[in-house]
Amino acid sequence: MTGPIHGSPGTHVPVLKLGGILLVTLQGELHDRAAEQLQQDIGEAVEASSVTGVVIDISGVEIVDSFLGRVFAEIAAQAKLLAARTVVAGMRPAVAITLVELGLTLPGLRTALDAEQAMLMLDPASTPVHHSPVRRESP
């Protein structure tokens, strides 16, 4: 499944299914109505495609207000109920500062520095196996 999620008129949110992960890339400003539509569309896409993870790449978003922050948290909660984990990737420092100033803790929402790191967090095959260091004694 590759294609856009269409929100309100004029809103085009690219969505790409990569294995068991849905990659949603946001660009520019997302108005309240479009954010609500995005939440509904992501829920439907998770259900329809049986993905186990959702990456929301916000590297192209300069402003996240309290409403949009709550929408991200609600998307994560909704995806969790549908057996998928959510990671928000690419948050700019100014956005992080704003969310902290607004007092939004965004429970259940994981973050990553970029979409690549987020994909690795959600891909069970990429989970590093921790080995204990092997000590060899000198003969």
Side-chain angles (χ1 to χ4, degrees):
M1 171 176 112
T2 302
I5 288 180
H6 295 286
S8 59
T11 302
H12 171 85
V13 178
V15 175
L16 184 61
K17 183 177 184 249
L18 303 169
I21 299 172
L22 195 66
L23 176 61
V24 181
T25 305
L26 303 180
Q27 297 291 322
E29 193 173 341
L30 195 64
H31 299 286
D32 291 358
R33 182 164 284 159
E36 289 173 337
Q37 186 65 50
L38 176 68
Q39 180 179 357
Q40 180 179 339
D41 292 344
I42 288 175
E44 290 171 2
V46 168
E47 179 188 23
S49 61
S50 300
V51 295
T52 57
V54 177
V55 174
I56 304 173
D57 182 359
I58 63 168
S59 57
V61 176
E62 293 187 28
I63 299 171
V64 174
D65 61 10
S66 60
F67 179 79
L68 188 54
R70 281 193 303 274
V71 168
F72 290 155
E74 289 171 5
I75 288 171
Q78 178 181 358
K80 184 175 181 180
L81 291 173
L82 296 171
R85 296 175 294 155
T86 303
V87 178
V88 171
M91 186 178 300
R92 295 172 185 237
V95 170
I97 290 168
T98 300
L99 292 176
V100 169
E101 288 175 349
L102 292 171
L104 293 176
T105 58
L106 306 179
L109 195 61
R110 298 172 67 191
T111 59
L113 293 177
D114 57 33
E116 182 178 2
Q117 183 184 37
M119 299 288 287
L120 290 172
M121 289 171 69
L122 293 172
D123 182 9
S126 70
T127 303
V129 177
H130 297 286
H131 295 285
S132 298
V134 176
R135 292 182 187 222
R136 297 185 181 183
E137 296 194 25
S138 303

